Amino acid sequence: VKRALDMFQGDYCLSDVRLSPDGRHIHVIVRQPKSGLITHDKYQRPHLMQCQKHNDLVLSGNVPVVDVIYISQSKPEDGASVLGVIFENGRVEFWKFLECKSGWHLLQTVDLCNSPRAKVSSVCMCQNFIIWCEERPPSENSNSVCSNFRFCICKKTIEVNEGGVNLGNVKIALHNNPRYTTVSSGDLVYLLPDMRENSSMGVLKVFLAWSPEHDTFKVHSACSCTLMKSSSKESDFKRLVTDCIGLLATINPPDICGFSPTGCGDLLLLLSTGWVCIMKRDGSLHHIYKLPDNCLSASGTQNSLKIYNEILALTIGRTLFLIETKCGLELKRISLKTEGLLFINTLDSHSPLMLSETGLFVVTQKPKPSPTLSEDSCALLVEAVFEEACKYYQQRSLSSTQLTVEKLKKGGMFQAPISLAAILRDYLQRLMSSLESELRSLVLLEDIKTSVVKASEKDLENYCESLVQQEICRLLSGELERENLQYLNSIFHLFPTYSWHAMQAVLHLRCNGEGLLSSKAPAELWKIILSPVQPTANFAHCNGQQKHTTVPVFELLCQSIFKFQPSWLPRFLELAQQQSGGSSKSSWGFTMKESSESLPLYKRALTVLPCKGTYQHLEVELLLCSERPKAIMQALRILIKQGQWERVAQVAERFCRQSPLLNKEIFIALLCEVSQHRDLDPYLDLLWTLCPEDMTVTSILNIVLKNLPDSMQNSGPFEAHGSQVTIGLLKPLLRKVLQRETKPSQRYADILQSPTVPPLTPPPLSTFHALDHLLYKLLEYLFFSLSSYAGVIIILR
């Protein structure tokens, strides 16, 4: 591969490299300084490469190469597939590799496009169709907006036989569309927006799925699993998306950073949010795996992803991820020396094939032999059991005679050793079977430690990760004493990445598409994790310089989550609170009372956040997840201070239903804000619906008057202020409260409906007149009781 790349000193990147389906040919599309194509071939019979003449496929010219495609033979027995080289001007050269005839041979040259001025921007193969996106030349009267929609999607039937390549007539499937990248998956072709286009175009928020066989289009979005439209007749792009115009203004889908067809009509998507999803052919969007936060931005733009036998392989920069597609479990994370690009070899579709600048590699998994207890190990274990028995006997024996293992096995001289030996012989097998799992774990741990000492630098990382996981699992399997807790803290500080992976494996943490965390860890493990022990001891790094405070297990896990996946922290808190709630699913529970020994979980989680306030969004989420009134009010005040009024309204609507007291606190806090500025005007209708039942007109007006801004209280009677509250704004609220005050109590409804009691005399004033009367009283109160003219301004406005 390196030799092939060095043959042409041009500008290329891995995204310009193509691999043949059988993995025998590597094609490099060169862009600068001179466009061209070079190919490196792997001969099945190496001696043919020694022949004096072999035809290499090396093309150069002024017309750029768009892409290369492989067309299968009509009959498999006819030999290798035919390579099509598509140029930007629509010319296609069909080549065939004949190993027995020393390399590549040109079959024929054809034109795809009908117009000589047309340009091909992308191309793919789907069944017996060749599909391409064609750019039409702009007309003289077209403006900049129309120039963005001067592309069309075309198709031709194609067939390879003994006589050559036969192409059908051009058929335009879609016209007046933006630039699209054509991606074939099974019998569908996905038309993905080209990110080089103007991102302000609303149509870039959606992409199309097209069936060339039935000419049906479906409109999809990367932010929703809803199928937006299906059309089998429309061929004009603008008319196709007309019904979606209103929806386009309301959605903000993430960008598509990477994609890969699955071959069965589905499409893998890597989104800018870090989620790896699969778009099903029915339009549903399934989330598979969430990358660590800022992973895409930190690793650059180079990425690739493929599915190999239900295993997702994903390269981000110089890191290769292997993920189980069914449950989203990260199986392996491999560091690469250089960036790589993933391919699928049709001859071995189960193994990831990765191409880098240094070569072509196959990712394989070495089978791990299960640890077995050899005869020597069993003999040593038996010897250890007898040695412990001798020590136990000697500590409790009055005799000064030393009891050895040999004497104990033979039965000894006294009755006590004889009985002890008989017990050991009878129960040794039962003891061995009951301790088999623990013994296997210890043997495996010792094997790993031995392998770490003897491992090469290449294998050291894998052994270290396995060792860290074994140690963390062992430490969390029983009650944590102070020394073991310090040891666990040191592991997390010395090996943060390995500890993060081990934590996910031990807790069986999974994150679904909705961002919710789930865990299959037993209740006993959660009890250890949520233990409220507050250690105070310190420990030092191995260099003896930097010290860290030992923290409980829950804070330790929160620190790890905050470092590698901060967005998981609120969800992890919810999961921990569910486990500590003493529900019917758990046989234990913790009291959540605040004390010096035990803090609520949300306060313990808040301790991992920096004190500078740069992560206030996480602080708000943690406070809200606690569902405690004081924490909710604290989160609400943070949002008010930040001026996030839409979020304030959402929080108020969500938590006002929790309790009447919290409802009243939230309403009063927001009413104070309404008195001081007009930023909450768009949400007043919602705010008025949250008014508590026990609020009166008098209490509402008192709150408003007490919270008027100082600038308003010191102003003159008729000065103009555009940011002050008015009676017009408060009128719907006051009318609602006044109607509720004047409405007869329901507790006397049965009396009022009794025919023996005459009806009550209606109030002399209607509701509206009562409100006017109240406003008059307010005006009178303001004139005679206040030293400023703020009230006059309110009523006049």
Side-chain angles (χ1 to χ4, degrees), residues 294-429:
N294 303 323
C295 180
L296 286 175
S297 58
S299 303
T301 58
Q302 185 66 48
N303 62 75
S304 65
L305 62 166
K306 298 285 183 183
I307 287 184
Y308 305 88
N309 193 24
E310 298 182 349
I311 300 297
L312 169 66
L314 170 65
T315 60
I316 303 293
R318 297 186 177 183
T319 305
L320 172 63
F321 297 85
L322 298 178
I323 298 124
E324 171 65 49
T325 57
K326 289 184 177 180
C327 59
L329 174 64
E330 181 180 317
L331 303 176
K332 195 70 176 177
R333 188 181 300 192
I334 303 174
S335 298
L336 308 175
K337 293 183 179 180
T338 59
E339 294 183 353
L341 199 65
L342 294 169
F343 292 95
I344 292 182
N345 186 345
T346 56
L347 302 180
D348 184 14
S349 59
H350 301 303
S351 301
L353 195 65
M354 190 183 67
L355 177 69
S356 70
E357 293 183 355
T358 57
L360 189 63
F361 302 92
V362 177
V363 182
T364 59
Q365 183 178 7
K366 295 181 180 179
K368 296 182 179 180
S370 58
T372 57
L373 298 176
S374 62
E375 295 181 0
D376 295 337
S377 300
C378 290
L380 291 174
L381 290 173
V382 171
E383 195 76 13
V385 170
F386 274 94
E387 288 179 359
E388 288 296 320
C390 290
K391 292 179 182 178
Y392 184 83
Y393 173 80
Q394 204 69 46
Q395 291 173 0
R396 287 156 179 79
S397 176
L398 298 177
S399 174
S400 60
T401 305
Q402 189 72 23
L403 180 64
T404 62
V405 175
E406 291 75 13
K407 291 182 180 180
L408 185 58
K409 288 182 178 180
K410 295 178 180 178
M413 299 171 58
F414 305 102
Q415 186 63 33
I418 294 174
S419 302
L420 180 59
I423 293 173
L424 287 176
R425 280 194 297 268
D426 293 340
Y427 289 94
L428 183 60
Q429 189 64 31

Side-chain angles (χ1 to χ4, degrees), residues 516-741:
L516 298 178
L517 281 182
S518 62
S519 172
K520 295 182 180 180
E524 291 74 15
L525 178 58
W526 277 106
K527 186 175 180 179
I528 296 173
I529 291 173
L530 301 180
S531 174
V533 176
Q534 299 289 341
T536 57
N538 292 336
F539 68 91
H541 277 311
C542 55
N543 55 14
Q545 297 177 358
Q546 187 177 1
K547 291 187 176 181
H548 297 277
T549 301
T550 305
V551 297
V553 181
F554 178 72
E555 282 81 346
L556 199 60
L557 300 186
C558 288
Q559 288 177 0
S560 183
I561 293 174
F562 176 72
K563 181 174 183 179
F564 293 98
Q565 201 73 275
S567 59
W568 283 18
L569 192 56
R571 309 287 81 82
F572 181 72
L573 174 61
E574 289 181 346
L575 187 61
Q577 289 180 154
Q578 292 173 7
Q579 297 294 331
S580 66
S583 62
S584 59
K585 296 182 180 179
S586 177
S587 59
W588 55 270
F590 290 109
T591 57
M592 303 299 292
K593 296 180 180 179
E594 298 186 26
S595 65
S596 58
E597 297 180 356
S598 175
L599 289 175
L601 289 178
Y602 81 94
K603 287 191 176 182
R604 297 173 64 181
L606 285 171
T607 59
V608 306
L609 300 182
C611 300
K612 298 180 180 179
T614 53
Y615 291 91
Q616 280 195 330
H617 64 286
L618 275 180
E619 182 180 355
V620 170
E621 290 296 325
L622 291 174
L623 291 170
L624 295 179
C625 286
S626 70
E627 297 188 354
R628 290 177 171 237
K630 290 183 179 180
I632 293 170
M633 291 304 301
Q634 184 180 347
L636 194 67
R637 293 188 189 98
I638 295 176
L639 293 174
I640 290 174
K641 185 178 180 180
Q642 294 177 344
Q644 299 185 27
W645 304 114
E646 182 179 1
R647 186 82 172 101
V648 167
Q650 293 174 354
V651 171
E653 184 180 14
R654 174 185 171 187
F655 290 99
C656 274
R657 306 187 187 98
Q658 183 168 311
S659 70
L661 292 177
L662 182 60
N663 183 9
K664 189 171 184 177
E665 282 195 57
I666 293 176
F667 178 78
I668 292 175
L670 297 185
L671 188 59
C672 294
E673 295 297 320
V674 171
S675 306
Q676 297 177 9
H677 53 77
R678 302 289 295 273
D679 294 329
L680 279 169
D681 283 10
Y683 312 102
L684 289 181
D685 292 340
L686 171 63
L687 178 58
W688 301 157
T689 61
L690 303 179
C691 180
E693 293 290 334
D694 59 346
M695 291 294 292
T696 63
V697 172
T698 304
S699 60
I700 291 175
L701 293 176
N702 284 334
I703 293 172
V704 172
L705 293 175
K706 289 179 181 178
N707 290 277
L708 292 175
D710 295 336
S711 60
M712 184 175 173
Q713 293 179 357
N714 298 330
S715 62
F718 299 106
E719 293 183 7
H721 293 273
S723 62
Q724 62 194 31
V725 68
T726 67
I727 284 294
L729 293 177
L730 297 177
K731 192 173 182 179
L733 173 63
L734 297 176
R735 177 185 289 115
K736 173 184 176 181
V737 176
L738 190 60
Q739 287 177 349
R740 192 167 58 202
E741 289 182 2

Side-chain angles (χ1 to χ4, degrees), residues 112-241:
L112 282 181
C113 310
N114 290 335
S115 173
R117 299 176 58 193
K119 295 181 179 180
V120 177
S121 61
S122 64
V123 65
C124 71
M125 278 293 301
C126 180
Q127 295 180 322
N128 61 331
F129 294 99
I130 181 171
I131 315 292
W132 71 94
C133 182
E134 179 178 312
E135 180 182 2
R136 297 294 180 87
S139 61
E140 297 179 356
N141 299 326
S142 62
N143 52 29
S144 59
V145 177
C146 295
S147 62
N148 292 326
F149 298 93
R150 65 177 185 272
F151 295 85
C152 60
I153 304 298
C154 307
K155 69 175 181 178
K156 271 186 178 184
T157 58
I158 186 170
E159 184 180 3
V160 179
N161 50 35
E162 296 179 357
V165 181
N166 297 327
L167 292 174
N169 296 326
V170 178
K171 182 178 180 181
I172 300 178
L174 190 68
H175 56 90
N176 294 331
N177 57 271
R179 184 197 302 267
Y180 275 130
T181 300
T182 58
V183 182
S184 175
S185 178
D187 59 341
L188 296 181
V189 174
Y190 288 91
L191 306 178
L192 302 180
D194 195 318
M195 291 305 151
R196 294 174 297 180
E197 297 294 321
N198 185 7
S199 60
S200 62
M201 295 172 57
V203 294
L204 296 183
K205 297 180 179 181
V206 297
F207 59 93
L208 307 180
W210 169 45
S211 172
E213 185 177 358
H214 302 96
D215 275 336
T216 58
F217 286 93
K218 295 179 182 179
V219 185
H220 300 299
S221 170
C223 68
S224 173
C225 61
T226 305
L227 183 63
M228 298 173 62
K229 186 173 181 180
S230 178
S231 174
S232 58
K233 297 180 180 179
E234 192 58 62
S235 61
D236 185 273
F237 174 78
K238 296 179 181 179
R239 294 179 181 177
L240 182 66
V241 298

